[in-house]
Amino acid sequence: MPVASLKAEIEQTVPFSSTQEEALLNLLRTADRLSRAMQRTIRPWGVTATQYNVLRILRGAGPEGLTCSEIGNRMLTADPDITRLLGRLKTLKLIRQHHDRRDRRIVRTMISEAGLQLLDEMDPAIKTAPGELLGHLSPAETAELTRLLERARERCAKEQTDEESEQQVRAVGIEKKTLSGPPTRFRR
């Protein structure tokens, strides 16, 4: 079934303010549709697309595993609470965690044997999904789509880097204030 133009699909009666607005809204709508399709593919195994993404990241990381922030940096979509996400995967026994040998403050996360088995079961269905979702595009169209998406992401990446730098500066300022203040006593 052919998809209507975005304007018709969302029943918008006024023209878009610019071609950039139309393109951005098309991108967001399409990303949502593709994301939902991937979630339907993943759902039978009882994990979310985000959990699946973490498991794939950890499989690729090897036996040393990764820290929470390293996992966050590699995720396809940002998750504000990686610690809770990892906690759910640990409860499902799909990951394991231990403190780093050199620095006990650092917790390293690795995929468990059960997590590897789950990915092995999922791999055939996941590997066919891109072809099912984008196979109607020619190889040249797919390459052009990839190029354009990477180009569109360039500006966002720079702005994100600037924003993260500002957040780190604020966090350091907060830590300095906290460390320079009077000692805090905790009650049990």
Side-chain angles (χ1 to χ4, degrees):
M1 177 172 99
V3 175
S5 74
L6 180 64
K7 188 175 173 187
E9 192 175 324
I10 64 174
E11 299 179 29
Q12 181 167 322
T13 56
V14 297
F16 292 107
S17 64
S18 66
T19 56
Q20 290 89 358
E21 178 188 35
E22 184 177 8
L24 178 62
L25 295 177
N26 259 300
L27 178 61
L28 294 172
R29 181 74 164 202
T30 304
D32 179 62
R33 293 276 174 91
L34 293 172
S35 178
R36 288 174 190 233
M38 285 304 296
Q39 186 61 48
R40 283 191 301 274
T41 301
I42 292 166
R43 188 178 302 137
W45 284 276
V47 294
T48 67
T50 304
Q51 290 169 330
Y52 171 75
N53 184 219
V54 169
L55 292 173
R56 279 187 52 156
I57 289 166
L58 291 172
R59 175 171 61 183
E64 305 89 43
L66 297 169
T67 65
C68 193
S69 63
E70 289 170 331
I71 294 168
N73 290 337
R74 296 180 185 195
M75 291 187 62
L76 293 175
T77 56
D79 190 304
D81 197 351
I82 302 242
T83 304
R84 185 172 289 153
L85 174 63
L86 294 177
R88 288 191 296 267
L89 289 170
K90 191 172 180 179
T91 299
L92 295 169
K93 300 187 182 339
L94 298 175
I95 63 168
R96 50 192 174 76
Q97 295 178 308
H98 70 81
H99 288 277
D100 188 270
R101 289 185 191 102
R102 292 178 297 265
D103 186 343
R104 303 279 305 152
R105 296 171 296 176
I106 297 173
V107 175
R108 300 200 70 78
T109 302
M110 291 80 48
I111 190 165
S112 69
E113 194 57 43
L116 288 170
Q117 288 174 1
L118 178 66
L119 290 183
D120 286 345
E121 288 176 28
M122 295 175 76
D123 279 345
I126 300 300
K127 285 181 180 170
T128 62
E132 291 169 5
L133 295 172
L134 299 175
H136 62 289
L137 300 175
S138 72
E141 289 172 321
T142 305
E144 179 68 359
L145 176 62
T146 299
R147 186 188 71 75
L148 291 170
L149 291 170
E150 288 173 350
R151 183 126 187 262
R153 224 175 28 253
E154 284 173 4
R155 179 167 293 179
C156 295
K158 182 192 178 323
E159 289 175 6
Q160 182 178 359
T161 303
D162 293 346
E163 183 180 314
E164 287 171 353
S165 296
E166 290 173 20
Q167 288 174 350
Q168 288 173 348
V169 167
R170 284 194 298 271
V172 169
I174 290 169
E175 287 176 17
K176 285 181 180 177
K177 288 179 187 175
T178 304
L179 292 174
S180 63
T184 305
R185 298 198 182 187
F186 298 98
R187 294 184 186 167
R188 290 187 183 228

